[in-house]
C-alpha cells in the first residue's frame, strides 16, 4: 500500500519542528518533580532493599552452609564432584533467568494497563521498557515450590559407606603404633590434646548470640591468620567482582556496544555465557576427583585456568563497534557549532530540551535526538505486510531534505556480538575451572570443626568486598563514558549516548584488572603451597634415618604390621 498520513497525537506533535507560536507547551518533566513523587520513588527503592535482604537470608542454607554440609557427609574423593554439581546447578538459575528475562522484556512494562489500540513503540525503540517485574513473580513462585522438600530432610545425613570403610582402615593401621607410643614422652595426654583442639570455633555453637558477637572478632582474626585461606578468599573476591560487574552490566554493554535489543542481549547471555560457566565448574570438580589433586595440584589448576582466561580476554579490547554519529553531539552539520543544536536550521522550531525520539538519516547514517532537531515538520507511516515503518519528512536540517526513519541507526558491525560473547563465554568457563579447586583449598586447609565458620567468613567477604561494591565501581566507570545525559527535574537521569570506544576499554579494562588480581593471588597460593610441601619433604627425609635405625634395633622379631607403619 502507499503511504498514508495519520492524525498525529499530542506526543508526536511535540517532537516535530513547529513554529514557536503553534508549538504545544513543553512541560514534560515538571509535573513529575513534586516531593510526593520523589518520596514514592524512595519507598519503592526501600522495598527493593528489603527484598534483596530476604533473598540473601534465604540463600544461606544453600551457600555457605550447604557447602560444609556436603563436605561433612560425603566421601573425601566424592566431595569435589558433589560441590561442582552444586555450584553448576546453582548457576543454572541465572542462566534460566536471563532466558526468562528475554521473554519478559518483549512485553511492555505496563502490560496490565495497555490501551485498547496498543502502543506505537516497538521493541527496537530506545524508549521501550520491558516488563522487568514479571520475572520476579515467576521466580518467587518457583522458589516457594522448590523450598518444600527441605522440610523433609533429616537432621543429620548418614555418612557415605566408602568413607566409613576408609576410616576403619585408617584406624586399623594407626591403632597399633598409637598403642605402642602410649608411653612415649612426646605423646600428649587426652586432656592436653582436647585442650589444644578446643578453640574458639569449637565452642561457638554453645554460645549465645551476644557471646558469639563478643568472640567473633577473635575468631575472625584466628581464621585470617591462615595465609592460604586469606589469599584464596582474596582471589575469589577478585573473581566475584568480575562476575558481579559482568552479570549486572553485560546486557547493557552488549545493547549499547552492538546496537541490539535488550531482549536479544539477555537471550545470548542465557544461551552462551551461563552454559559455559556450568561446564567450567563441573569440569573443575571432575579434574580434582579424577586426578586426585592435592593442595599443590589444586593451586596449579587455579593458576592455569586464570592465566588462560586472562589470555583470551585480550582480544575483547579490539572487538566492538564505533560510536554513532549523533547530530549536535558527536557530529556537527554546521561550520560553527553553537551552544544549541544547529541554530541556523532550527531557529523557527521550538524543540523540547528533554525530548528523546531518535530518528536516523539512512543516507549519511547520522542520528538526531528528535525529529524536531532534524527540522522535520510532518510524519508519514509506510505500511508493510508484517509491520509499519514511520518516516519524518520536510526536514530542514537534513542534507537535501531527505526523509528520516524513526528509531536509532542500525550498527554496521552488530554481527560481532556473537564472536565477542563466545570469547567472553570461553573466558568465563576457564575462570570457573578454579571454582571447585579453590573451595577445596579452603575446606582442606582448615580444621573440620572450623569449616562451617570459615566458609561463612569467606562468603561474608565475598558479599562485602565484591558483590556490593563491584556493581557501583562498574556503573561509575560506565557513566564516565556518557556523552549525552537526559535530565529529570534538573538532574542527570539516564545516559542516552555513550562513547563506544571508551565504554569498551573501561568495561573490559575493569574485568582485566580483577582477573589480574586473581592471577597474582593464585600465584602466591601456589608458591606458599610448594614451600610448605618442600619443608614437609625435608622433615620426612631428616626423620627417615632415625626410623630405619629404630627398625634395625628392634630386630627380626618385629611384627609385619608394625614395620609397615
Amino acid at each position: 500500500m502507499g503511504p498514508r498520513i495519520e492524525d498525529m497525537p499530542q506526543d508526536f506533535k511535540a517532537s516535530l519542528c513547529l513554529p514557536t507560536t503553534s508549538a504545544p507547551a513543553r512541560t514534560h518533566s515538571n509535573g513529575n518533580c513534586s516531593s510526593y513523587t520523589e518520596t514514592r520513588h524512595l519507598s519503592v527503592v526501600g522495598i527493593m532493599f528489603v527484598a534483596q535482604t530476604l533473598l540473601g537470608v534465604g540463600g544461606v542454607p544453600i551457600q555457605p552452609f550447604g557447602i560444609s554440609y556436603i563436605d561433612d557427609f560425603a566421601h573425601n574423593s566424592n566431595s569435589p564432584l558433589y560441590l561442582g554439581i552444586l555450584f553448576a546447578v546453582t548457576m543454572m538459575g541465572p542462566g534460566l533467568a536471563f532466558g526468562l528475562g528475554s521473554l519478559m522484556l518483549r512485553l511492555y512494562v505496563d502490560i496490565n494497563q495497555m490501551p485498547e489500540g496498543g502502543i506505537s513503540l516497538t521493541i527496537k525503540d530506545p524508549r521501550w521498557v520491558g516488563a522487568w517485574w514479571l520475572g520476579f513473580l515467576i521466580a518467587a513462585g518457583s522458589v516457594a515450590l522448590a523450598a518444600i522438600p527441605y522440610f523433609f530432610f533429616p537432621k543429620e545425613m548418614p555418612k557415605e559407606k566408602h568413607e566409613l570403610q576408609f576410616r576403619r582402615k585408617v584406624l586399623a593401621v594407626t591403632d597399633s603404633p598409637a598403642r605402642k607410643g602410649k608411653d612415649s614422652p612426646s605423646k600428649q595426654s587426652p586432656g592436653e590434646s582436647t585442650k589444644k583442639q578446643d578453640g574458639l570455633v569449637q565452642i561457638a555453637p554453645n554460645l549465645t548470640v551476644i557471646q558469639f558477637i563478643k568472640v567473633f572478632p577473635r575468631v575472625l582474626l584466628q581464621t585470617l591468620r591462615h595465609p592460604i585461606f586469606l589469599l584464596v578468599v582474596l582471589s575469589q573476591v577478585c573473581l566475584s567482582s568480575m562476575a558481579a560487574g559482568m552479570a549486572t552490566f553485560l546486557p547493557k554493554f552488549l545493547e549499547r556496544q552492538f546496537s541490539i535489543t535488550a531482549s536479544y542481549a539477555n537471550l545470548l547471555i542465557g544461551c552462551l555465557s551461563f552454559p559455559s560457566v556450568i561446564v567450567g565448574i563441573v569440569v573443575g570438580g571432575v579434574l580434582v576427583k579424577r586426578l586426585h589433586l592435592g593442595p599443590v595440584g589444586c593451586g596449579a589448576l587455579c593458576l592455569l585456568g586464570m592465566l588462560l582466561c586472562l589470555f583470551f580476554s585480550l582480544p575483547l579490547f579490539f572487538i566492538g563497534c564505533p560510536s554513532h554519529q549523533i547530530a549536535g553531539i558527536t557530529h556537527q552539520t554546521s561550520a560553527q557549532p553553537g551552544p544549541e543544536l544547529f541554530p541556523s536550521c532550527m531557529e523557527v522550531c521550538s524543540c523540547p530540551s528533554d525530548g528523546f525520539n531518535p530518528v536516523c538519516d539512512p543516507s549519511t547514517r547520522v542520528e538526531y535526538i528528535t525529529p524536531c532537531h532534524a527540522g522535520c515538520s510532518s510524519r508519514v507511516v509506510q505500511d508493510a505486510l508484517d509491520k509499519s515503518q514511520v518516516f519524518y519528512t520536510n526536514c530542514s536540517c537534513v542534507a537535501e531534505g531527505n526523509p528520516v526513519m524513526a528509531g536509532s541507526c542500525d550498527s554496521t558491525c552488530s554481527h560481532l556480538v556473537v564472536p565477542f560473547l563466545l570469547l567472553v563465554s570461553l573466558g568465563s568457563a576457564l575462570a570457573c575451572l578454579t571454582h571447585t579447586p579453590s573451595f577445596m583449598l579452603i575446606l582442606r586447609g582448615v580444621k573440620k570443626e572450623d569449616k562451617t565458620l570459615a566458609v561463612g567468613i569467606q562468603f561474608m567477604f565475598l558479599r562485602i568486598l565484591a558483590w556490593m561494591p563491584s556493581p557501583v565501581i562498574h556503573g561509575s566507570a560506565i557513566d564516565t563514558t556518557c556523552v549525552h545525559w537526559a535530565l529529570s527535574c534538573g538532574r542527570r537521569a539516564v545516559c542516552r549516548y555513550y562513547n563506544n570506544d571508551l565504554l569498551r576499554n573501561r568495561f573490559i579494562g575493569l574485568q582485566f584488572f580483577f582477573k589480574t588480581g586473581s592471577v597474582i593471588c593464585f600465584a602466591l597460593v601456589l608458591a606458599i603451597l610448594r614451600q610448605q610441601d618442600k619443608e614437609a619433604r625435608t622433615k620426612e627425609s631428616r626423620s627417615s634415618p632415625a626410623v630405619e635405625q629404630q627398625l634395625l634395633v628392634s630386630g627380626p622379631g618385629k611384627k609385619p604390621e608394625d614395620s609397615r607403619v
Side-chain angles (χ1 to χ4, degrees):
M1 295 177 61
R4 61 184 175 85
I5 300 178
E6 291 185 340
D7 295 329
M8 294 173 294
Q10 184 73 10
D11 59 339
F12 289 121
K13 284 187 178 182
S15 61
L16 292 178
C17 178
L18 300 175
T20 307
T21 57
S22 61
R26 312 292 192 179
T27 57
H28 297 302
S29 61
N30 294 337
N32 297 325
C33 298
S34 62
S35 58
Y36 170 75
T37 303
E38 293 187 4
T39 304
R40 186 174 59 181
H41 290 171
L42 289 177
S43 63
V44 173
V45 173
I47 293 174
M48 293 293 291
F49 273 115
V50 173
Q52 291 292 330
T53 302
L54 294 176
L55 187 64
V57 173
V60 169
I62 306 296
Q63 294 183 10
F65 290 163
I67 298 172
S68 178
Y69 192 79
I70 290 177
D71 192 62
D72 285 339
F73 298 104
H75 188 272
N76 286 339
S77 60
N78 294 332
S79 181
L81 180 61
Y82 293 161
L83 290 178
I85 294 174
L86 171 66
F87 297 139
V89 174
T90 303
M91 293 306 299
M92 289 176 61
L96 295 175
F98 272 99
L100 178 64
S102 174
L103 297 177
M104 297 300 103
L105 291 177
R106 294 177 180 272
L107 305 175
Y108 193 63
V109 61
D110 294 327
I111 188 176
N112 57 336
Q113 300 177 359
M114 293 287 289
E116 294 183 0
I119 58 175
S120 59
L121 296 179
T122 63
I123 190 174
K124 292 185 177 181
D125 197 299
R127 298 169 295 171
W128 176 274
V129 179
W132 57 269
W133 53 271
L134 196 56
F136 282 95
L137 298 181
I138 298 175
S142 302
V143 169
L145 293 176
I148 295 177
Y150 283 92
F151 291 100
F152 303 98
F153 271 58
K155 292 184 178 180
E156 185 173 350
M157 293 286 286
K159 195 73 175 179
E160 283 192 336
K161 293 182 179 180
H162 296 293
E163 173 73 3
L164 294 176
Q165 294 174 359
F166 175 76
R167 286 192 174 185
R168 291 193 187 99
K169 291 179 180 179
V170 172
L171 290 175
V173 172
T174 59
D175 185 53
S176 178
R179 285 198 305 266
K180 182 175 180 180
K182 188 183 300 181
D183 300 330
S184 175
S186 61
K187 182 69 177 177
Q188 294 181 348
S189 64
E192 293 176 351
S193 177
T194 304
K195 183 177 180 180
K196 184 176 181 180
Q197 294 180 356
D198 191 17
L200 291 171
V201 181
Q202 276 187 297
I203 64 174
N206 300 324
L207 298 177
T208 63
V209 176
I210 298 178
Q211 291 173 333
F212 178 77
I213 293 175
K214 291 181 179 179
V215 302
F216 179 74
R218 296 189 328 192
V219 175
L220 180 63
L221 291 176
Q222 176 183 340
T223 307
L224 293 180
R225 288 174 60 187
H226 198 299
I228 300 299
F229 175 83
L230 183 59
L231 287 172
V232 171
V233 169
L234 288 178
S235 66
Q236 290 185 342
V237 165
C238 293
L239 287 176
S240 297
S241 299
M242 177 194 71
M246 190 72 74
T248 306
F249 292 105
L250 184 58
K252 180 184 181 71
F253 175 83
L254 296 179
E255 181 183 356
R256 296 292 185 169
Q257 184 71 211
F258 300 99
S259 300
I260 61 177
T261 64
S263 175
Y264 184 51
N266 281 272
L267 182 63
L268 286 177
I269 295 172
C271 293
L272 294 178
S273 293
F274 280 93
S276 65
V277 168
I278 294 172
V279 170
I281 294 175
V282 173
V283 170
V286 171
L287 289 177
V288 174
K289 175 180 171 60
R290 293 296 183 186
L291 301 180
H292 304 286
L293 297 180
V296 177
C298 288
L301 179 60
C302 291
L303 181 59
L304 177 62
M306 285 310 304
L307 285 174
L308 292 176
C309 175
L310 204 63
F311 174 76
F312 284 104
S313 298
L314 290 175
L316 298 178
F317 286 99
F318 310 101
I319 302 178
C321 297
S323 301
H324 284 229
Q325 293 295 321
I326 314 299
I329 299 175
T330 61
H331 177 80
Q332 291 285 346
T333 59
S334 59
Q336 298 294 331
E340 297 183 2
L341 301 178
F342 318 125
S344 59
C345 63
M346 289 173 50
E347 56 187 10
V348 297
C349 302
S350 177
C351 297
S353 58
D354 57 349
F356 185 67
N357 182 17
V359 292
C360 177
D361 181 7
S363 60
T364 59
R365 304 193 65 82
V366 174
E367 188 170 323
Y368 299 83
I369 298 177
T370 66
C372 181
H373 291 85
C376 303
S377 59
S378 60
R379 176 177 177 268
V380 177
V381 178
Q382 179 76 44
D383 287 335
L385 294 177
D386 54 345
K387 61 180 180 179
S388 59
Q389 179 66 53
V390 179
F391 290 91
Y392 292 90
T393 58
N394 300 327
C395 305
S396 60
C397 294
V398 179
E400 300 180 359
N402 292 329
V404 294
M405 297 188 304
S408 297
C409 295
D410 294 330
S411 177
T412 57
C413 59
S414 297
H415 60 281
L416 294 178
V417 65
V418 175
F420 180 90
L421 205 55
L422 286 176
L423 278 176
V424 171
S425 303
L426 179 59
S428 300
L430 292 171
C432 288
L433 279 176
T434 68
H435 202 74
T436 302
S438 61
F439 269 95
M440 298 311 300
L441 286 174
I442 292 177
L443 294 175
R444 297 292 180 261
V446 298
K447 297 179 181 179
K448 182 178 180 180
E449 63 271 11
D450 299 358
K451 281 191 298 186
T452 301
L453 191 58
V455 175
I457 293 173
Q458 172 199 8
F459 273 82
M460 179 188 72
F461 277 104
L462 293 182
R463 296 293 190 270
I464 295 176
L465 300 179
W467 291 98
M468 289 176 62
S470 178
V472 178
I473 296 173
H474 281 80
S476 300
I478 290 174
D479 284 346
T480 60
T481 66
C482 183
V483 295
H484 178 66
W485 287 92
L487 301 179
S488 176
C489 303
R491 292 174 295 185
R492 294 194 311 184
V494 62
C495 182
R496 298 299 189 189
Y497 297 105
Y498 293 90
N499 184 322
N500 280 1
D501 293 331
L502 281 179
L503 175 63
R504 181 176 63 255
N505 290 334
R506 293 184 182 179
F507 182 75
I508 302 301
L510 267 178
Q511 298 285 307
F512 197 85
F513 170 78
F514 288 121
K515 292 174 184 177
T516 304
S518 182
V519 168
I520 294 174
C521 290
F522 279 130
L524 293 176
V525 167
L526 184 60
I528 293 175
L529 288 174
R530 284 185 172 179
Q531 182 65 27
Q532 292 178 351
D533 188 59
K534 183 178 179 180
E535 293 176 356
R537 290 182 179 179
T538 303
K539 290 181 180 179
E540 290 179 0
S541 61
R542 290 177 179 176
S543 60
S544 57
V547 173
E548 293 178 0
Q549 183 178 4
Q550 184 179 3
L551 292 175
L552 292 174
V553 171
S554 61
K558 187 71 176 176
K559 293 183 179 180
E561 55 268 24
D562 292 335
S563 61
R564 182 175 67 243
V565 176

